[in-house]
Amino acid sequence: MGFFSCFFFISLALLSHHVLIVNGFTGTYGVNYGRIADNLPPPESVVTLLKAAKIKNTRIYDADHSVLTALADSGIEIIVGLGNEFLKDIAANGERAVDWIKENVEPFIPKTKIVGIAVGNEILGSTGGQDLWEALVPAVKNVYIALDRLNLASSVQVSSPHSEAVFATSYPPSAGAFREEILPYMKPLLQFFSQVGSPFYINAYPFLAYISDPTHIDINYALFKKNPGIYDPKTKLHYDNMFMAQIDAAYAALEKVGYEKMEVIVSETGWASKGDPSEDGATLKNARTYNYNLKKLLYKKKGTPYRPHTPIKAYVFALFNENLKPGPTSERNFGLFKPDGSVAYHIGFTGISSSAPSFKAIGGQGWFGCSYLLVITICTASILLNVIS
C-alpha cells in the first residue's frame, strides 16, 4: 500500500471520531493580493497599506517568500496558493507535498499567520483539463496528509477555489447544480473536504455574468442598487442582488450532492473599473458602486436569503491593478488601489495620494517612520468617501 496510503486511511479513521475545524477567516472581508505586474510596491509597503486599511485577510496565488516574510508579526492572515503546475507531481508523490510545505509554509509559521493552502485554482471548470481533474483530489489529500505529518493540519486549512463554470445551472438559485461531467471528481473532493472541515470556495462575479448578457441582466441587480430583484418559486425567497443569488446557487448545488452543511466562502469577487468596448459596464463608477456596496454588506456580517444565519465571507479581487495580466482590458483593472498606493476610487479605505511622499519609501521607513504629511494624507482619504446607493 505504501506509507502515504496507509497514513491517509489512518488519518480518515481518526477524523471520523474528531474533526478539528480550522478557522481560516477573521471577520468577513478579505482581499486577493495578485502580483502579475511590473510596477507594484514592495511587499513591506503593501503590508503597511493592508494594516492602514484594516484588512485582516488576504490571499496570494503562490507562496512568494518575500510576501510571507513581510507579513511576519503583522497579524494579517494569509492563504497561499499551490499552483496548478504542481498538481500532477504532488498527486503522484506525497513526499513532494511534504517538501513543498517544508519549503513554503513551515519556515514562516507562526510569525506569519498562514491559515490556508489553496490547492490549484479553478481546476474543475474552464481552467483544468482531464489530467488536472484527475490530479486534484489526490493532490489535495497529499497536501493534507503532509500538513498532518508536520503537525500543521490543526492550523492550516486545505481548500481549492472553483469558478462558476462548475455549475450546469444557477438560476434561480434553488436550481443550482454541478455539471454532470465533473461530478466524478467533485463528489470525492467534497467528501474529503467534509471530513476535514474545509469550506467550499467559489469565485463569484456578477460582473462577468452581466457583461456576458447585458441585455437581459439588470445592472442594478448586479451592483446591489435598487431594483425589482428576482423571486425563487421553489424556496419562495426574494433576491435583490446577484451576489447573494450566486452564493445560494452554490448552496443548492452542494445540497443536491449531499453536503448541505458545508459553508460557502467567496474566494474572488470584484468589478473592473475599465474594459474593452465589448465589456459593457466596466467603468470606474460601477466598480466603485459594486465594491462600496459589497464592503458595506460584508461588514454587516449578514447571511444570504437561504442561509440567513451564516455570515457571508468574501475575498475581493483585487488589491492592485495588474498591468501584465493577459486577456481583455478588464483583467488588468480590478484593483482597489493604484500601484503608487493611492485609492483607485473611494470606498472608505485609506490610501496614499500621488502628491504624498513615495509609497515605496514607506516599506523602508515603516509606518511610524513616515512623515506627518503622509499620516494626514492617509487620514484625509478616509473621509473623502461619497455615499453610494
Side-chain angles (χ1 to χ4, degrees), residues 26-257:
T26 296
T28 55
Y29 192 95
V31 177
N32 289 278
Y33 174 17
R35 304 186 329 280
I36 305 176
D38 61 5
N39 59 354
L40 298 185
E44 295 80 8
S45 300
V46 174
V47 172
T48 299
L49 182 63
L50 290 170
K51 292 173 74 173
K54 294 183 172 58
I55 295 170
K56 297 180 179 179
N57 307 281
T58 189
R59 292 178 65 236
I60 56 176
Y61 294 86
D62 53 21
D64 185 88
H65 290 194
S66 65
V67 174
L68 298 179
T69 299
L71 282 165
D73 299 317
S74 68
I76 297 168
E77 298 186 347
I78 184 168
I79 292 178
V80 299
L82 192 157
N84 295 357
E85 66 272 20
F86 298 109
L87 254 61
K88 287 188 281 186
D89 189 24
I90 285 181
N93 186 348
E95 286 295 339
R96 295 287 292 128
V98 174
D99 293 342
W100 192 89
I101 292 168
K102 281 185 174 180
E103 179 183 352
N104 298 297
V105 177
E106 189 179 42
F108 302 96
I109 292 175
K111 290 176 71 67
T112 300
K113 298 183 70 174
I114 300 175
V115 296
I117 300 173
V119 181
N121 187 52
E122 298 189 340
I123 297 299
L124 299 180
S126 54
T127 301
Q130 188 77 23
D131 55 343
L132 287 181
W133 290 9
E134 294 171 353
L136 181 57
V137 173
V140 165
K141 289 179 177 179
N142 279 344
V143 169
Y144 179 84
I145 292 166
L147 286 170
D148 200 39
R149 180 176 165 185
L150 297 170
N151 297 313
L152 295 173
S154 62
S155 59
V156 180
Q157 186 183 78
V158 180
S159 62
S160 187
H162 304 287
S163 73
E164 290 281 331
V166 299
F167 301 120
T169 56
S170 59
Y171 179 85
S174 63
F178 293 114
R179 286 163 44 197
E180 286 293 329
E181 63 268 32
I182 68 168
L183 282 178
Y185 311 96
M186 181 65 82
K187 283 183 176 179
L189 181 68
L190 296 175
Q191 181 183 24
F192 182 72
F193 281 163
S194 178
Q195 289 168 330
V196 301
S198 293
F200 180 83
Y201 279 91
I202 185 70
N203 296 340
Y205 283 96
F207 168 75
L208 296 179
Y210 175 74
I211 65 171
S212 70
D213 191 9
T215 302
H216 298 101
I217 295 176
D218 183 351
I219 194 167
N220 292 328
Y221 178 62
L223 292 173
F224 304 95
K225 295 179 74 174
K226 187 176 181 181
N227 68 95
I230 68 162
Y231 174 75
D232 191 323
K234 181 177 179 181
T235 59
K236 296 180 171 54
L237 294 173
H238 179 265
Y239 292 83
D240 59 14
N241 67 81
M242 185 184 291
F243 179 68
M244 285 189 178
Q246 289 181 328
I247 296 172
D248 277 353
Y251 276 122
L254 289 169
E255 270 194 12
K256 288 180 175 66
V257 291

